[in-house]
Amino acid sequence: MGSNQSWVTEFVLVGFELSADVEVLLFWIFSLFYIFSLLANSVILGLICLDMSLHTPMYFFLSHLAITDMSYASSNVPKMLANLLNQNRTISFVLCIMQTFLYLGFAHTECLLLVVMSYDRFVAICHPLQYTVIMNWRVCTVLAVSSWSCGFILALVHAILLLRLPFCGPREVNQLFCEIMSVLKLACADTWINQVAIIADGVFILVGPLCLMLVSYMRIVWAILKIQSKEGRTKAFSTCLSHLCVVGLFFGIAMVVYMVPDSNQREEREKILSLFHSLFNPMLNPLIYSLRNAQVKGALYRALQKKRSL
């Protein structure tokens, strides 16, 4: 890393390049979204911790998803907000690499957690009588720890491969934060190893898990259609639909950003998609789960009633 810093000590985050008035307006709008995202995920996390009815594997993984979403947004949104008010949009080389590492780490972890959550729904609906045996707390803990560990190990691989590259100029990162594809374009050496790693990562983290989830949900839908009770079918569909909405948002955007070939409009499109991924997705996840989930709404109602009675 020392040799890299002898060439480039800091990068410039280009951002949207709008007028000062528009950027100030965006600062306040994005700040409200960011605060709401933190509050919404904190409420979900608090409800899961305090309400005994939510102490199940499904909500155990949902609590990890809430932590990931808050961390995911906090890894780059504060710097992005600061840049909207500051004309000096520099970021040091070390902080840039750290931001890339954290962003990838939390993104990988969220991806793997979504896969684990789909497996949990598969077992709950397709093997209900064996659910408590298969999804015991030891298995849940191992799956959660594995998701976090694997996510950050993969992110560390990308960070190490990035550190081996020389950066001698230009310094302008045409993104809202230090996103790996944008940083790689500034390297003064061949980045084919990094590109291969990103493609392999995309297949392992995006394509493979998405295929597994599609297969599992085909079996889930088939099992739901066999349920005799209309109420049972509605409840099962409601739970799965919430997860499918989150999966669709996360995987859809990620595949467009990392798996679609380059084009002239790619960079501007990536800025918007990255903004959605970092700011809006963590805000929408708790809303999707809370608005469509009777148990979460019930827990929130009980918490509010308890607060009023104090």
Side-chain angles (χ1 to χ4, degrees):
M1 190 167 68
S3 62
N4 286 344
Q5 286 183 291
S6 65
W7 290 94
V8 171
T9 59
E10 61 184 16
F11 294 110
V12 177
L13 297 171
V14 175
F16 282 125
E17 297 183 288
L18 302 170
S19 67
D21 291 339
V22 174
E23 291 193 340
V24 170
L25 177 63
L26 288 178
F27 168 81
W28 290 111
I29 294 172
F30 293 164
S31 295
L32 289 174
F33 284 146
Y34 176 57
I35 292 169
F36 182 81
S37 173
L38 295 181
L39 289 175
N41 281 288
S42 298
V43 168
I44 291 288
L45 190 59
L47 288 175
I48 293 171
C49 292
L50 297 174
D51 198 298
M52 293 299 296
S53 67
L54 301 182
H55 289 188
T56 62
M58 174 183 170
Y59 295 103
F60 171 74
F61 295 126
L62 183 56
S63 68
H64 281 269
L65 186 66
I67 294 170
T68 307
D69 278 334
M70 288 189 288
S71 305
Y72 186 60
S74 299
S75 67
N76 51 62
V77 173
K79 178 62 177 173
M80 183 187 73
L81 293 175
N83 286 345
L84 288 172
L85 295 180
N86 189 2
Q87 294 302 313
N88 181 20
R89 300 179 176 185
T90 59
I91 183 171
S92 71
F93 179 84
V94 174
L95 287 179
C96 186
I97 300 300
M98 183 60 69
Q99 192 179 63
T100 303
F101 168 70
L102 291 174
Y103 178 78
L104 288 174
F106 291 123
H108 283 85
T109 302
E110 179 161 349
C111 180
L112 294 172
L113 283 172
L114 290 173
V115 175
V116 169
M117 290 172 75
S118 69
Y119 174 69
D120 171 70
R121 291 299 84 205
F122 169 76
V123 176
I125 293 172
C126 296
H127 303 284
L129 299 178
Q130 299 171 294
Y131 180 72
T132 54
V133 176
I134 297 173
M135 297 301 294
N136 59 65
W137 285 111
R138 182 180 177 183
V139 170
C140 291
T141 304
V142 168
L143 289 173
V145 171
S146 299
S147 298
W148 283 93
S149 302
C150 189
F152 275 89
I153 288 171
L154 289 171
L156 183 61
V157 170
H158 287 294
I160 291 172
L161 290 175
L162 201 57
L163 286 170
R164 56 177 277 278
L165 296 172
F167 291 89
C168 52
R171 301 185 305 144
E172 290 77 20
V173 179
N174 193 16
Q175 250 292 0
L176 304 172
F177 56 91
C178 287
E179 190 268 333
I180 188 167
M181 298 292 285
S182 300
V183 175
L184 278 177
K185 293 176 183 177
L186 307 183
C188 301
D190 193 352
T191 60
W192 72 271
I193 295 178
N194 302 75
Q195 299 289 348
V196 169
I198 290 171
I199 293 171
D201 192 357
V203 172
F204 177 72
I205 286 290
L206 295 175
V207 179
L210 187 59
C211 291
L212 288 174
M213 283 190 284
L214 288 174
V215 171
S216 67
Y217 267 99
M218 286 173 64
R219 295 190 61 181
I220 286 171
V221 170
W222 182 251
I224 290 174
L225 293 174
K226 290 182 179 179
I227 297 175
Q228 299 296 324
S229 165
K230 183 180 178 181
E231 183 182 349
R233 286 198 302 270
T234 303
K235 184 179 178 181
F237 267 124
S238 178
T239 304
C240 293
L241 192 59
S242 298
H243 183 254
L244 277 174
C245 288
V246 174
V247 167
L249 283 171
F250 184 89
F251 279 81
I253 295 171
M255 291 189 77
V256 169
V257 172
Y258 294 104
M259 304 298 288
V260 173
D262 281 322
S263 65
N264 294 332
Q265 294 80 29
R266 178 186 171 96
E267 289 183 341
E268 294 305 314
R269 182 188 64 202
E270 280 186 359
K271 290 180 186 179
I272 297 172
L273 291 175
S274 297
L275 177 66
F276 193 93
H277 227 191
S278 303
L279 189 62
F280 297 106
N281 217 32
M283 179 184 68
L284 290 173
N285 286 354
L287 288 178
I288 291 170
Y289 276 106
S290 59
L291 291 176
R292 297 196 57 85
N293 194 297
Q295 281 184 284
V296 173
K297 287 188 284 188
L300 180 60
Y301 176 78
R302 287 190 294 272
L304 292 174
Q305 288 293 100
K306 189 181 294 185
K307 185 177 180 180
R308 288 176 185 173
S309 63
L310 292 177

